[in-house]
Amino acid sequence: MVDTSFNACAPVQISDDDIFTAMREISGYLDITPSDFKELYLKAYQHALSRLTRIVKVKEVMTTRVVSAKIDSSLENVAVLMAENHISGLPVVDGKGKPLGIISERDFLEAMVGKKSAGLMEIIVQCLRGRNCLMAPVRVKSAKDFMTTPVIIVGGADSVDDVSNLFASKRINRAPVVDGEGRMIGIVSRGDLMRASVTGGQE
Amino acid sequence: MNYFEKMKGASQSPPSVSKLEVFLSWLGSFLGIAAIGAMNYIYMGSQENTLMIASFAASAVLLFGAPKSPLAQPRNFVGGHILAAFIGVAFCKTFVTQPALAASLAVSTAIAVMHLTRTLHPPAGATALNAIIGGAKVHQLGFAYPIFPVAVGVFILLAVALIFNNAPKNRRYPEFWL
């Protein structure tokens, strides 16, 4: 099954009228009802999508210029990196380039409010209630203490289809891509996977 | 694509159906033909088989073997048989001394009329032909032929198709009425 949460992969909404009109354009008699054709089309579309995304490897769609943090980076440095590069998350790597964890905007939001699954509006609520810098309590921490572990990694040869399913089941948005020795060779995001699903890997 | 290239074909045969589907096709068509046979026996006796037209067997293939096909729908099944029966009788009466010409014209005209009325039903071609080659008994019926045995047999088979094809979970009939 293809993950339906990837809306970009959903087939064009084809109507019975569209099919009726198309059948008219084909001159001969077609021995199928428009509704059977529609069912066939939707099923075939899912198979095509699954086939294309199974062929495409993560290696082909990942981002290779990865912005990453070191384990001893200060949280402020991490925040600056994310802000300057306009990214919503980054991997934390050790000295050998092995990914150890992920820090995302969500981690900051949660740290500010002090609970899981906090959203921007909760931060705003806290601000409106007159607290100052909500980030103050966590300012001292380094990347190592702050990152989400264990990190979910994927291999470069993994298929886009498999990784899409992994993202959906683990509810993650990005994962470091590693080589045989576990060193990071890139990062793949939900956006990368979506583009691959839409284009079938052909840019 | 040139003329001879077209003859090679371009696609493949669709996949086989499930064993359950095979069994349902078998059972449905058995019941359908049996129903016509039973009616024939009750009303005509064992010496007559006026109600049992060969083209009903072909309809059974569609109604029970391919019930999703547009060709198998009530509009096509009922409309096709009755129109074709009329056309068959008309050509039979027009070309009494040239049965081969009557037969060819009846079948081809039936197909054309079925196309124009969106009632294409392949077995009905045989219903038109039967009006000419069906022998003295059919000839005697004249323009009653489209009503009896054609329409009567058609409605028996349609009733069985409605009752039978909607019983299994994975089957439904019809796809549309008109």
Side-chain angles (χ1 to χ4, degrees):
Chain A
M1 265 316 284
V2 168
D3 173 26
T4 46
S5 71
F6 282 69
N7 286 328
C9 317
V12 180
Q13 279 305 308
I14 188 167
S15 76
D16 284 7
D17 275 351
D18 293 335
I19 297 163
F20 194 83
T21 310
M23 286 174 93
R24 233 188 204 146
E25 287 166 13
I26 295 173
S27 60
Y29 185 85
L30 295 172
D31 189 12
I32 189 167
T33 58
S35 68
D36 278 351
F37 175 80
K38 187 174 174 180
E39 194 184 340
L40 203 57
Y41 164 80
L42 292 172
K43 282 184 187 296
Y45 190 96
Q46 293 301 325
H47 284 295
L49 196 62
S50 178
R51 172 172 51 82
L52 290 171
T53 52
R54 223 179 290 128
I55 292 167
V56 181
K57 307 288 179 210
V58 160
K59 199 163 46 189
E60 299 164 40
V61 300
M62 69 185 183
T63 305
T64 47
R65 278 193 48 235
V66 188
V67 177
S68 61
K70 301 229 157 36
I71 44 173
D72 53 356
S73 300
S74 71
L75 212 49
E76 188 190 329
N77 276 341
V78 173
V80 168
L81 271 177
M82 284 171 62
E84 285 181 345
N85 292 287
H86 305 287
I87 51 175
S88 56
L90 50 69
V92 180
V93 295
D94 68 8
K96 290 172 187 157
K98 288 187 183 175
L100 299 172
I102 292 271
I103 296 179
S104 68
E105 275 177 357
R106 179 148 299 271
D107 295 317
F108 282 96
L109 292 178
E110 284 170 6
M112 289 165 83
V113 185
K115 65 179 188 191
K116 283 275 165 195
S117 68
L120 176 63
M121 288 320 294
E122 297 203 40
I123 310 288
I124 291 171
V125 167
Q126 301 248 351
C127 284
L128 291 173
R129 286 183 181 155
R131 315 246 177 103
N132 279 332
C133 178
L134 292 155
M135 210 52 214
V138 285
R139 192 179 276 164
V140 289
K141 285 188 179 173
S142 69
K144 187 175 170 240
D145 306 312
F146 198 64
M147 66 192 183
T148 301
T149 54
V151 64
I152 294 163
I153 52 167
V154 298
D158 291 355
S159 75
V160 164
D161 193 40
D162 290 343
V163 174
S164 297
N165 290 334
L166 180 77
F167 275 31
S169 64
K170 301 279 183 190
R171 296 172 177 276
I172 55 173
N173 295 313
R174 63 183 67 71
V177 185
V178 297
D179 63 13
E181 268 99 65
R183 283 186 300 260
M184 187 167 65
I185 55 170
I187 190 160
V188 64
S189 68
R190 210 165 248 258
D192 295 330
L193 296 176
M194 247 185 230
R195 270 191 297 282
S197 299
V198 173
T199 62
Q202 258 96 76
E203 289 295 321
Chain B
M1 208 190 291
N2 82 38
Y3 183 68
F4 290 104
E5 258 176 63
K6 287 187 192 171
M7 292 186 191
K8 284 190 204 157
S11 188
Q12 57 177 333
S13 171
S16 172
V17 297
S18 67
K19 291 207 171 60
L20 175 65
E21 196 63 22
V22 172
F23 173 71
L24 292 174
S25 301
W26 181 86
L27 186 60
S29 51
F30 172 82
L31 294 173
I33 299 299
I36 297 176
M39 288 298 204
N40 185 80
Y41 180 78
I42 292 165
Y43 293 102
M44 317 289 304
S46 57
Q47 301 306 306
E48 293 279 338
N49 57 0
T50 321
L51 192 55
M52 191 69 93
I53 305 173
S55 59
F56 290 156
S59 288
V61 175
L62 280 167
L63 266 62
F64 301 102
K68 279 167 151 304
S69 167
L71 302 171
Q73 303 312 307
R75 179 191 174 98
N76 301 60
F77 174 51
V78 178
H81 273 299
I82 292 172
L83 284 172
F86 264 115
I87 291 162
V89 175
F91 279 106
C92 184
K93 288 189 178 297
T94 313
F95 301 98
V96 182
T97 54
Q98 293 130 299
L101 179 64
S104 332
L105 280 171
V107 173
S108 53
T109 307
I111 294 172
V113 171
M114 286 191 287
H115 255 320
L116 292 170
T117 53
R118 294 192 291 123
T119 58
L120 195 65
H121 183 69
T127 301
L129 182 66
N130 189 57
I132 294 126
I133 65 162
K137 288 226 176 76
V138 172
H139 294 163
Q140 278 162 24
L141 291 169
F143 279 105
Y145 173 71
I147 313 296
F148 181 89
V150 175
V152 173
V154 160
F155 282 109
I156 295 169
L157 206 52
L158 180 64
V160 177
L162 286 169
I163 295 164
F164 179 81
N165 281 339
N166 289 306
K169 209 165 58 182
N170 61 341
R171 266 199 193 213
R172 49 178 280 185
Y173 183 83
E175 293 289 316
F176 58 87
W177 277 98
L178 300 170

